[in-house]
Amino acid sequence: MVQIEIPDRAALSEANRNYVEYFDERLGHVPNLYLYMMHSASAFDTFYTFHNRKTSLSLREREVISLVVAEVNKSLYCLSAHTMIAKLNGFDEEQIIQLRQGKADFDPKLDALAGLVERLAEKANLGATTELAAFFEAGYTRENLVDALQAMGENIISNLTAKTLTVPIDFPLAQALNEDENK
């Protein structure tokens, strides 16, 4: 297995060093995933700009998408990060487990979102007719659909980066849904 190390901060581009300073000041550290993206002089800036784009979705809805996509992609780094973020956005442990399973019995609208995202993430829209109908019946709009698709893309980028570069998890480890998952 090829091991990619965290980049040397002194070797980072000026823009990336500015981001490091920004996160150190505001969070007290830079998440490892962000540091690994900084192996590229421009990738993190592009990702972070996209991450902070305007969207019609609430923070809670974006966390639903993040949890479902990370579960489908088996990205333990992103599951761990987004479990913590979901808790900060008012979800409890049981709700987070449900969301990772592509459902939300506690909220019909989030249930429709989670079901659609799971179907799209697993099957790339093959046969998502039922889930799309439920999504729109729950009150979501075409704008919400496009924003959800972009949020999925953003999460696929972070999931793929975390898994490919074997980014060390710097968040509390997410609970496994089954006993083999965290092995």
Side-chain angles (χ1 to χ4, degrees):
M1 173 164 72
V2 175
Q3 180 62 44
I4 308 293
E5 301 296 328
I6 290 177
D8 178 6
R9 291 182 184 209
L12 296 176
S13 69
E14 182 178 351
N16 283 339
R17 284 193 308 273
N18 289 337
Y19 277 118
V20 167
E21 189 175 309
Y22 171 84
F23 286 109
D24 278 343
E25 287 175 8
R26 282 159 186 79
L27 298 178
H29 77 287
V30 184
N32 284 341
L33 178 65
Y34 290 179
L35 286 171
Y36 273 73
M37 286 182 177
M38 291 180 191
H39 276 291
S40 165
S42 58
F44 180 72
D45 182 63
T46 301
F47 175 82
Y48 195 63
T49 300
F50 188 56
H51 173 74
N52 288 314
R53 72 196 174 283
K54 290 182 181 180
T55 179
S56 63
L57 301 172
S58 70
L59 289 174
R60 286 174 57 88
E61 289 166 326
R62 289 178 72 175
E63 281 313 307
V64 168
I65 294 167
S66 296
L67 288 165
V68 172
V69 172
E71 184 64 41
V72 169
N73 289 322
K74 302 297 182 212
S75 174
L76 188 54
Y77 182 95
C78 294
L79 281 171
S80 297
H82 287 288
T83 293
M84 184 191 78
I85 296 168
K87 288 177 183 176
L88 294 173
N89 280 287
F91 291 110
D92 65 31
E93 194 69 43
E94 183 179 316
Q95 292 169 333
I96 290 167
I97 296 298
Q98 278 191 33
L99 292 170
R100 289 174 54 192
Q101 295 169 335
K103 61 185 178 179
D105 295 340
F106 57 92
D107 184 313
K109 192 169 184 182
L110 294 180
D111 189 54
L113 176 62
L116 176 64
V117 170
E118 182 184 47
R119 180 64 179 203
L120 293 175
E122 287 180 344
K123 304 289 185 187
N125 196 28
L126 298 176
T129 307
T130 303
E131 292 84 1
L132 273 170
F135 179 81
F136 290 125
E137 286 170 15
Y140 286 106
T141 66
R142 287 175 274 192
E143 177 184 21
N144 298 142
L145 177 60
V146 172
D147 286 343
L149 293 171
Q150 288 203 341
M152 288 180 67
E154 170 195 339
N155 281 281
I156 290 168
I157 290 167
S158 61
N159 292 181
L160 185 61
T161 301
K163 288 181 70 170
T164 302
L165 300 180
T166 319
V167 176
I169 299 170
D170 51 346
F171 297 96
L173 194 63
Q175 174 183 341
L177 294 184
N178 62 56
E179 43 188 76
D180 295 328
E181 191 170 282
N182 283 354
K183 292 183 180 176

